[in-house]
């Protein structure tokens, strides 16, 4: 696919995020969609007929998510260059963000309960712009900590004004 | 003055009175809302009802006054060489601290009541987004002006000795206290008001014209016409009452626009761009150099008739919800737009900035080096594909779009926060991509859509590189330190020397590129430099 090449900049090897991100996202999706699915099934069994469409739709959604998530996770990549952090994302809707270290205002590391149980975390770089969505989900905890320290150090060394 | 060199002051003691009416009004509104029915049912004579209302007003005022006085007594502000401090709050104490080199704008605002009585509020915006400002209200007008000058001078990196920064016991300063004294007073040098040149002023006629030439007005007029027809045909005035609320809302909006943008004036001075506006409540904003993150020239459809443009800016500190602060000029002609752009971005990075601006505003296709959406995407953007594009110069990026609602955005390279490239499924099939230049929160979100993929990629790489270089060579936050070491400016009491050093960075004369040379090839031929009229002391705000 030559379109892929466009988001692969010259001489850059993207670092993938942890493959554990896929099961984490799937778990969350199953929890979020499982309850409506159950409720829909119960209602459908009681009332029958067209009510079956509700659980069917939810089930379709769940299957779609199960199919999509691994692809999405594989599409996430990041790379630390001398002056910038590059992050790419997306299968259908692709995006590539270039964040200069000097523009960093702060770094945030988050991990929810499901992610923590799998030992991964979410690193987000905040600039003065609300539009720069510089987040890397699904990094192994050690890598997240390293990246956080590295970004902080780089940001301090290259600090620019607004 | 405490150990850290912070001088503490109180805001003026009239503050509780100026604030009390708000509490009273709120209480009164609540009363009317809650009990108007009850009072009506009591079946009392009119005099007694009036008495009740008066009583509520008096009690409300007293409660408001008591509360405001308490708040006033717990509020103090301080100033050091690096920072402004504000301590406030009755139950929940709050201490705010704004570093002067992070200060984005300084506003002197005068609500109607304060304006009548000669008081003003000083608002200092820092880049922390909404709610990160620091408001000192109320101060005597002269004190507020003086403090504004002082803050800007300190933020610029000038050292003024140990000047009494603000009002020393403002209550005793009956107009001419030590704080409000002019520069060179024996009490110690205070920062003089930076010399100022008026650039543009908006006439009421043009403001009214611009409001009349808006879609909203036309729609409302048509709506009213239709309504009148209905009323006449049906002989029933019911519908008129039914639409009362939306009409009132629209009227309030237009009145807000008119009153807010009335008497809009822009001036330039070494400590930044001065913007004054307002009919009843006046605002005088100062935007220090290098604080504008992006500029947008927008033309609503019907303004084409007159060739008018509305100019907005992104400034860190004004969040997206801020509406008045982000307008640099409400209605400008192309020549005026060029002047304003020159104030914000003196060097457009090209030999013929006026031609470039003209092409950016009204041009299409690849004139003046604009790169547009490729032809194959014309069915995606049937109207705008020839207009939609960008032009990269040495100092800024110009992003142009809109065929009917024209818009041009200028982003200086050193103000780009981060960059993004995006592509949806349709764009992917057509080998297109969008490029976004992430700016601080505000009305402008610079991006250019549907570029050829290869072009977008090159733009991304180019911009990354240019932004990096611009970042490294960007001026200091304390803008005076670049041209004048603080020591040189600290011939403290010598206001003339200070003015001379200020004059050094006044826009046109001191810059390497004199505007006269930049005006060559001008087609619309605006005056070579802003119509300069000296305002030795801008007392008109």
């Amino acid at each position: 696919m030559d379109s892929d090449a466009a988001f692969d900049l010259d001489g850059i090897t993207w670092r993938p995020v942890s493959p554990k991100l896929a099961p984490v996202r799937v778990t969350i999706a199953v929890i979020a969609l499982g309850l409506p699915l159950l409720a829909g099934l119960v209602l459908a069994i009681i009332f029958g007929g067209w009510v079956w469409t509700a659980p069917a739709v939810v089930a379709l959604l769940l299957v779609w998510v199960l199919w999509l998530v691994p692809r999405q996770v594989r599409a996430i990549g990041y790379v630390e260059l001398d002056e910038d952090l590059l992050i790419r994302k997306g299968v259908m809707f692709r995006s590539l963000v270039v964040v200069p270290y000097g523009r960093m205002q702060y770094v945030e590391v988050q991990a929810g309960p499901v992610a923590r149980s799998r030992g991964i975390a979410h690193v987000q770089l905040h600039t003065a712009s609300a539009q720069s969505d510089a987040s890397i989900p699904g990094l192994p905890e050690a890598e997240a900590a390293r990246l956080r320290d590295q970004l902080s150090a780089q940001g301090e060394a290259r600090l620019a004004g607004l | 003055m405490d150990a850290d060199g912070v001088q503490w002051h109180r805001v003026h003691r009239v503050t509780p009175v100026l604030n009390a009416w708000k509490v009273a009004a709120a209480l009164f509104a609540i009363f009317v809302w809650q009990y108007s029915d009850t009072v009506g049912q009591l079946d009392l004579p009119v005099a007694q009802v009036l008495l009740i209302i008066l009583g509520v007003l008096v009690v409300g005022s007293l409660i408001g006054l008591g509360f405001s006085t308490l708040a006033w007594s717990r509020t103090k502000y301080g100033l050091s060489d690096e920072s402004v401090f504000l301590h406030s709050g009755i139950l929940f104490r709050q201490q705010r601290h704004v570093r002067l080199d992070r200060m984005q704008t300084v506003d002197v605002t005068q609500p109607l009541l304060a304006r009548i009585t000669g008081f003003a509020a000083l608002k200092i915006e820092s880049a922390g987004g909404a709610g990160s400002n620091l408001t000192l209200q109320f101060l005597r007008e002269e004190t507020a002006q003086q403090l504004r000058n002082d803050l800007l001078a300190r933020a610029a990196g000038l050292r003024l000795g140990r000047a009494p920064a603000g009002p020393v016991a403002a209550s005793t300063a009956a107009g001419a206290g030590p704080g409000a004294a002019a520069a060179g007073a024996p009490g110690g040098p205070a920062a003089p008001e930076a010399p100022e040149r008026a650039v543009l002023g908006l006439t009421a006629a043009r403001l009214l014209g611009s409001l009349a030439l808006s879609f909203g007005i036309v729609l409302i007029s048509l709506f009213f016409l239709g309504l009148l027809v209905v009323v006449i045909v049906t002989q029933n005035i019911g519908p008129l009452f039914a639409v009362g609320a939306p009409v009132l809302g629209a009227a309030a909006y237009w009145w807000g626009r008119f009153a807010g943008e009335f008497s809009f004036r822009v001036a330039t001075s070494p400590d930044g761009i001065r913007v004054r506006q307002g009919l009843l409540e006046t605002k005088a904003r100062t935007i220090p150099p290098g604080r504008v993150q992006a500029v947008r020239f927008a033309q609503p459809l019907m303004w084409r008739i007159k060739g008018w443009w509305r100019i907005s800016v992104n400034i860190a500190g004004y969040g997206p919800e801020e509406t008045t602060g982000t307008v640099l000029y409400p209605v400008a002609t192309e020549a005026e737009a060029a002047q304003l752009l020159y104030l914000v971005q003196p060097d457009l990075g090209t030999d013929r900035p006026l031609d470039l601006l003209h092409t950016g505003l009204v041009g299409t296709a690849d004139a003046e080096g604009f790169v547009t959406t490729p032809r194959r995407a014309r069915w995606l953007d049937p109207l705008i594909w020839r207009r939609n594009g960008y032009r990269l110069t040495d100092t800024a990026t110009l992003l142009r779009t809109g065929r009917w609602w024209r818009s041009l955005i200028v982003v200086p390279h050193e103000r780009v926060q981060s960059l993004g490239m995006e592509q949806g499924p349709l764009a992917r099939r057509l080998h297109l991509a969008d490029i976004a230049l992430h700016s601080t929160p505000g009305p402008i979100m610079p991006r250019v859509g549907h570029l050829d993929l290869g072009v977008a990629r090159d733009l991304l790489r180019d911009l990354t590189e240019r932004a990096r270089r611009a970042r490294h060579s960007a001026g200091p936050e304390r803008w005076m330190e670049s041209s004048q070491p603080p020591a040189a400016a600290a011939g403290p009491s010598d206001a003339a020397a200070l003015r001379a050093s200020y004059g050094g960075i006044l826009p046109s004369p001191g810059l390497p590129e004199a505007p006269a040379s930049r005006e060559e090839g001008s087609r619309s031929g605006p005056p070579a430099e802003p119509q300069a009229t000296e305002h030795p002391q801008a007392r008109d705000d």
Side-chain angles (χ1 to χ4, degrees), chain B residues 148 193-198 266-271 274 276 499 506 533-540:
Chain B
R148 194 252 323 257
E193 169 131 358
E196 177 176 300
R197 294 182 316 156
V266 175
T268 172
S269 82
D271 54 17
R274 300 267 172 82
R276 296 194 174 78
R499 276 178 183 243
L506 253 182
T533 45
E534 279 289 330
H535 266 235
Q537 186 86 38
R539 290 293 307 109
D540 50 350

Side-chain angles (χ1 to χ4, degrees), chain B residues 294-489:
Chain B
V295 196
R296 181 181 61 200
F297 305 85
Q299 188 173 58
L301 183 61
M302 295 203 302
W303 286 17
R304 288 172 81 112
I305 303 168
K306 293 295 228 171
W308 285 335
W309 298 87
R310 185 174 177 85
I311 304 175
S312 325
V313 289
N314 267 5
I315 292 173
Y318 289 136
E321 67 286 338
E322 168 81 39
T323 48
T324 54
T326 53
V327 178
L328 183 62
Y329 205 70
V331 202
T333 62
E334 190 179 321
E336 290 166 346
Q339 286 184 0
L340 290 163
L341 179 61
Y342 176 66
L343 291 186
V344 174
Q345 180 69 20
D347 182 7
L348 208 50
T350 167
D351 300 335
R352 295 175 301 135
L354 285 174
D355 288 347
L356 183 58
L357 179 65
H358 181 79
T359 313
L361 290 176
V362 302
T364 54
D366 56 0
E368 287 290 336
F370 271 88
V371 181
T372 55
T373 300
R375 192 177 174 78
R376 64 175 181 275
R378 64 186 182 281
W379 61 272
L380 264 185
D381 301 309
L383 288 172
I384 59 165
W385 67 276
R386 281 160 61 80
R387 183 84 186 128
N388 199 29
Y390 76 91
R391 164 76 148 82
L392 208 57
T393 75
D394 291 341
T395 57
T397 315
L398 282 77
L399 307 169
R400 175 181 81 176
T401 192
R403 176 129 233 168
W404 289 354
W405 277 268
R406 289 169 173 159
S407 133
L408 172 73
I409 297 173
V410 180
V411 187
H413 290 325
E414 68 267 29
R415 299 283 167 255
V416 174
Q417 292 290 329
S418 59
L419 292 161
M421 178 158 84
E422 283 152 36
Q423 188 186 47
L426 255 181
R428 190 167 159 202
R429 302 197 69 165
L430 286 165
H431 294 274
L432 304 171
D434 299 355
I435 295 285
L437 282 67
H438 301 144
S439 178
T440 57
I444 309 170
M445 289 189 166
R447 66 183 298 134
V448 51
H450 297 166
L451 292 175
D452 176 77
L453 196 54
V455 168
R457 238 175 106 177
D458 290 347
L459 175 62
L460 189 72
R461 197 169 41 220
D462 238 28
L463 257 177
T464 306
E465 183 53 38
R466 283 177 198 232
R468 172 184 310 155
R469 282 207 304 269
R471 215 160 47 231
H472 289 174
S473 58
E477 297 266 306
R478 295 178 173 178
W479 58 95
M480 288 300 289
E481 284 181 351
S482 52
S483 57
Q484 199 85 25

Side-chain angles (χ1 to χ4, degrees), chain A residues 1-3 5-10 83-84 91-100 103 127-129 131-132 160-162, chain B residues 104 127 316 414-425 428 431 438-439 441 445 453 457 460-461 464 468 471-472 477:
Chain A
M1 287 207 286
D2 56 346
S3 289
F7 277 70
D8 278 336
L9 302 180
D10 302 331
E83 297 238 9
D84 313 279
V91 184
M92 286 265 279
F93 295 87
R94 295 147 174 262
S95 72
L96 170 65
V97 188
V98 182
V99 191
R103 291 299 189 199
T127 71
S129 169
Q131 294 156 268
S132 28
L162 276 178
Chain B
Q104 299 295 317
E414 68 267 29
R415 299 283 167 255
V416 174
Q417 292 290 329
S418 59
L419 292 161
M421 178 158 84
E422 283 152 36
Q423 188 186 47
R428 190 167 159 202
H431 294 274
H438 301 144
S439 178
M445 289 189 166
L453 196 54
R457 238 175 106 177
L460 189 72
R461 197 169 41 220
T464 306
R468 172 184 310 155
R471 215 160 47 231
H472 289 174
E477 297 266 306

Side-chain angles (χ1 to χ4, degrees), chain B residues 45-109:
Chain B
V46 177
Q48 278 187 354
V49 172
L50 284 179
L51 217 62
I52 290 176
I53 290 172
L54 191 72
V56 169
L57 271 179
V58 168
V59 170
S61 308
L62 283 179
I63 294 176
L65 197 63
F67 183 78
S68 307
T69 310
L70 198 58
W72 170 81
S73 71
R74 305 298 301 268
T75 303
K76 61 177 182 174
Y77 69 93
L79 191 64
S80 76
D81 282 340
E82 265 86 43
S83 307
V84 200
F85 304 86
L86 176 69
H87 291 188
S88 63
I90 300 172
L91 271 181
F92 297 91
R93 297 284 290 159
Q94 192 180 46
Q95 302 195 353
R96 284 206 169 174
H97 170 185
V98 173
R99 286 180 56 85
L100 290 181
D101 53 2
R102 293 288 169 187
M103 186 169 79
Q104 299 295 317
T105 59
V106 187
D107 300 1
V108 176
T109 58

Side-chain angles (χ1 to χ4, degrees), chain B residues 507-519:
Chain B
S508 31
L511 283 173
E513 276 180 282
S517 70
R518 304 165 57 85
E519 306 286 323

Side-chain angles (χ1 to χ4, degrees), chain B residues 132-202:
Chain B
S132 69
N133 57 42
L134 189 150
T135 308
L136 308 178
Q137 61 180 8
F138 287 91
L139 305 170
R140 271 199 179 282
E141 205 183 326
E142 311 85 61
T143 313
Q145 302 274 5
Q146 182 55 47
L147 194 56
R148 194 252 323 257
N149 300 340
D150 212 50
L151 286 173
L152 285 165
R154 285 177 194 233
L158 295 175
R159 287 287 169 274
L160 296 158
R162 304 241 51 97
V168 186
S171 48
T172 65
E193 169 131 358
E196 177 176 300
R197 294 182 316 156
V199 179
L200 291 175
L202 186 64

